[in-house]
Amino acid sequence: MDTPELDRRRDELRYQGLKENLAKLGVEVSFANGLRESTPWLVNIWKKGEQVSTIEQIRYIVNHATKNRAILLTDPELLVRLEESYWSPSLRAPATLNADAPKILQQLCERDLKIGLICNTGRGPGRALRELMRREGVLDYFDATIFSDEVGYGKPDTRIFLTTAKMLRLQPRDILHVGDNIENEERGAQRAGMKTLLFDYEVPSGFREQPSLLVLTRASDSNTAVKPDGRIKSLGEILNFIY
């Protein structure tokens, strides 16, 4: 569960890290415009289920921050430092775990249900998100964790849903998918043959004051023709749909 304040703090940390590492090459730039312009670019790619590697994202941001002045990012050590400065804010200023999650995951496990996680990774890699889940004490509840940067495609591409079903050794028709984005998640899950449950919560108003990834990925939800099989306002309601 994210907040505008945490989202801005992560961007600030990305600015600092990228700037400090490029300064070692004698390159002085401001990354505000580059990061801002990368947001709609990434959203348009992710909506198609396609992926952009961390390094590709960094190259895009650097090119826009320097007004396309040629800067070669080829040194392996520099690339490692740039990557870490770009994704490490997801661990240094992390979103908070939904308060209902541990209890609900425990109850689902007690019913001998298999649990999988499908995640579009965004600006950070799956390994960082697994570490965050480990710190929060919920990673071991999951029988499978599938991250888009690791498989090469993301929601709404049906392949990521079918990959999850295969890893869980289940048929898609026997899976209930819970997601918070109709277009990216519920549409893809339905096309893969799963039942769908929409976690329909209000996006914090502060996200609407800037072109955040959270708001832009939901921009088309109000006009969607996709109808989930159910809607919930809290994770605790999931149990009402499990028989």
Side-chain angles (χ1 to χ4, degrees):
M1 307 301 291
D2 210 0
T3 67
E5 293 76 21
L6 285 170
D7 189 53
R8 285 192 288 270
R9 178 56 180 156
R10 287 191 292 273
D11 276 350
E12 289 170 1
L13 291 171
R14 290 188 183 100
Y15 297 153
Q16 294 169 8
L18 292 174
K19 184 174 182 178
E20 289 170 6
N21 280 292
L22 282 178
K24 297 173 184 177
L25 291 179
V27 179
E28 296 289 341
V29 294
S30 170
F31 286 95
N33 289 337
L35 265 172
R36 190 178 304 113
E37 291 177 18
S38 73
T39 299
W41 171 68
L42 287 169
V43 169
N44 287 331
I45 292 172
W46 290 334
K47 280 182 178 179
K48 295 180 286 186
E50 298 174 2
Q51 296 300 293
V52 183
S53 71
T54 306
I55 286 297
E56 288 180 277
Q57 294 182 40
I58 292 171
R59 291 186 194 280
Y60 181 96
I61 291 167
V62 170
N63 285 338
H64 282 71
T66 58
K67 302 187 185 301
N68 295 310
R69 193 171 83 235
I71 296 178
L72 296 178
L73 300 179
T74 56
D75 180 78
E77 291 186 9
L78 173 63
L79 290 175
V80 168
R81 293 197 302 271
L82 286 172
E83 274 198 285
E84 184 175 356
S85 67
Y86 188 69
W87 63 255
S88 63
S90 62
L91 294 177
R92 295 168 63 189
T96 58
L97 184 68
N98 184 299
D100 293 330
K103 179 176 67 177
I104 297 305
L105 289 168
Q106 178 64 38
Q107 290 176 325
L108 293 173
C109 284
E110 289 172 354
R111 296 190 184 195
D112 292 325
L113 294 169
K114 291 184 178 180
I115 306 174
L117 174 73
I118 305 173
C119 180
N120 283 5
T121 50
R123 295 192 189 274
R127 66 180 182 275
L129 296 174
R130 278 199 190 88
E131 172 59 20
L132 182 57
M133 292 168 67
R134 187 193 64 78
R135 292 182 186 181
E136 294 283 4
V138 297
L139 181 60
D140 289 344
Y141 285 116
F142 292 88
D143 299 283
T145 54
I146 295 86
F147 294 95
S148 59
D149 70 303
E150 296 175 351
V151 296
Y153 39 81
K155 300 173 284 190
D157 192 314
T158 56
R159 288 179 294 174
I160 199 165
F161 298 94
L162 295 175
T163 297
T164 305
K166 185 176 181 179
M167 291 180 70
L168 292 171
R169 297 183 179 180
L170 294 171
Q171 293 298 315
R173 64 175 178 271
D174 296 323
I175 295 176
L176 175 64
H177 179 273
V178 182
D180 64 359
N181 184 299
I182 294 180
E183 281 294 309
N184 272 7
E185 300 189 318
E186 308 305 82
R187 177 162 60 93
Q190 285 185 357
R191 287 179 175 176
M194 299 177 181
K195 295 290 191 297
T196 58
L197 194 58
L198 179 68
F199 180 26
D200 192 9
Y201 68 91
E202 184 66 26
V203 175
S205 59
F207 278 117
R208 304 185 187 283
E209 298 169 3
Q210 56 185 355
S212 71
L213 292 174
L214 182 58
V215 169
L216 289 176
T217 54
R218 290 187 172 199
S220 59
D221 278 4
S222 60
N223 299 318
T224 185
V226 178
K227 303 297 181 184
D229 296 297
R231 292 174 180 263
I232 57 175
K233 289 292 186 181
S234 71
L235 292 183
E237 296 175 65
I238 292 174
L239 298 176
N240 299 331
F241 292 85
I242 302 293
Y243 303 101

